[in-house]
Amino acid sequence: MRFVHCSDVHVTGDYFALPLRRLGWRRWLALAELTVGGRARAYRRAPETLARIAQEAREHSADHFILSGDLTAYALDSEFQGAREAMGAWAGDRRRCTVIPGNHDVFTPGSHRSRRFERHFGHLLESDLPEHCREGAFPFVRLVGEEAAVVGLLSARVPAVPGMAQGRVGPAQLEGLAAVVKDPRLAGRALLVVVHHAPLTPRGRADHWFHGLRDAEALFRLLPGPRYAILHGHIHHRYHHVATAERPHLFGAGSSTLAGREGYWVIDVAGGQVRGGRMYTPGAPHA
């Protein structure tokens, strides 16, 4: 079986076409990052790049398309709509697509209260094993063929102030994930667990306090060995840490639409094990 994994696509709206009062103070602060920091320029072609990745997923004969959060720049409704449109038919079929929110998708309390992510992608959160849900829709389980299952976790929380981008799965979801792992209906299946925040950095270390996944070690304890993989984003670097006896495979998808660093993973599963993955650049020739 084959999975395409991308992340942090950051579809970016036209912030200067909106009244400042509608943006709110958090986005006012973010305007410096968009302009002086170059974020708006770096993600100018994000919709086109995401659409290309979605097309190439079909060319790879992928069984399932995974996007591990940060669909938007700062959680505008138009950005969610743009991301869904770019994903095309994948986004309409929960049997073939998994999408979770990242910290940029809950950037403001208002975006969280109004369930803006769910308005566009809530249909993808319905679980095939709903008895294991513990925090709203999470963790949800998607059965994929006979050999694999995808599990979606929520680690993105509304930050107290911009710049505090740490993540937390929390004890309720971890308890639900433990029940998923023990469920006899999943015996013999590889489990691909999707979470936004990175359990480790590319160098194999814990990320810093204001950016990392706070309960990464608890997550590792539930998922030892090559039957399991954690697919994440948040850190804009693409890498793969091979599974050990103590922890699963880790696939960091980087920022899949960042100009000059575009890319995604194709991950293969066979015999109930995660067999590895290969990185691709959208638009480049591939076998």
Side-chain angles (χ1 to χ4, degrees):
M1 304 198 71
R2 180 160 285 177
F3 298 80
V4 163
H5 173 213
C6 63
S7 195
D8 293 65
V9 297
H10 291 298
V11 172
T12 302
D14 184 356
Y15 282 76
F16 296 99
L18 297 171
L20 283 176
R21 60 179 175 78
R22 287 186 55 193
L23 293 179
W25 69 269
R26 292 169 186 258
R27 295 194 186 96
W28 296 347
L29 296 178
L31 290 178
E33 186 178 29
L34 282 173
T35 55
V36 178
R39 177 178 284 272
R41 182 174 61 255
Y43 290 101
R44 182 174 57 87
R45 296 191 58 81
E48 294 87 346
T49 304
L50 178 56
R52 182 62 194 166
I53 294 171
Q55 172 60 36
E56 291 186 12
R58 291 188 285 273
E59 296 169 5
H60 287 296
S61 300
D63 298 284
H64 205 82
F65 187 94
I66 296 171
L67 204 169
S68 55
D70 278 2
L71 289 80
T72 67
Y74 302 110
L76 290 180
D77 192 70
S78 61
E79 294 171 341
F80 285 111
Q81 182 177 347
R84 177 160 181 182
E85 290 173 355
M87 292 171 65
W90 291 106
D93 188 353
R94 72 178 187 89
R95 297 167 301 173
R96 303 194 66 207
C97 186
T98 294
V99 180
I100 61 167
N103 58 296
H104 280 255
D105 304 322
V106 293
F107 191 74
T108 66
S111 63
H112 177 65
R113 284 195 304 269
S114 65
R115 297 174 61 82
R116 198 164 294 161
F117 173 88
E118 288 82 358
R119 193 182 308 162
H120 296 277
F121 294 97
H123 60 290
L124 299 180
L125 302 181
E126 183 179 344
S127 181
D128 292 334
L129 301 176
E131 61 270 31
H132 297 316
C133 298
R134 296 294 187 275
E135 183 181 347
F138 300 93
F140 63 82
V141 178
R142 185 78 64 248
L143 303 177
V144 184
E146 300 296 326
E147 293 188 83
V150 177
V151 181
L153 297 176
L154 175 67
S155 64
R157 312 291 172 172
V158 179
V161 293
M164 296 184 66
Q166 69 269 33
R168 176 178 55 83
V169 174
Q173 287 185 68
L174 289 170
E175 191 274 331
L177 179 60
V180 169
V181 170
K182 295 175 183 176
D183 193 314
R185 292 169 292 183
L186 299 179
R189 291 178 182 260
L191 294 187
L192 282 70
V193 177
V194 186
V195 65
H196 178 64
H197 288 77
L200 295 176
T201 68
R203 300 181 69 178
R205 301 173 181 172
D207 200 357
H208 65 79
W209 181 253
F210 294 113
H211 199 258
L213 183 65
R214 289 189 172 181
D215 39 14
E217 288 299 326
L219 188 58
F220 286 155
R221 286 194 291 270
L222 295 175
L223 306 170
R227 179 190 171 199
Y228 306 103
I230 294 175
L231 281 55
H232 68 84
H234 195 51
I235 295 178
H236 290 185
H237 297 278
R238 201 165 294 108
Y239 53 89
H240 173 209
H241 294 313
V242 177
T244 68
E246 292 78 33
R247 70 172 191 235
H249 291 276
L250 297 178
F251 289 94
S255 180
S256 294
T257 62
L258 177 61
R261 294 170 61 180
E262 302 92 337
Y264 60 93
W265 281 103
V266 174
I267 300 169
D268 289 313
V269 168
Q273 304 280 305
V274 178
R275 299 299 183 184
R278 183 174 176 183
M279 293 186 292
Y280 288 87
T281 300
H286 56 263

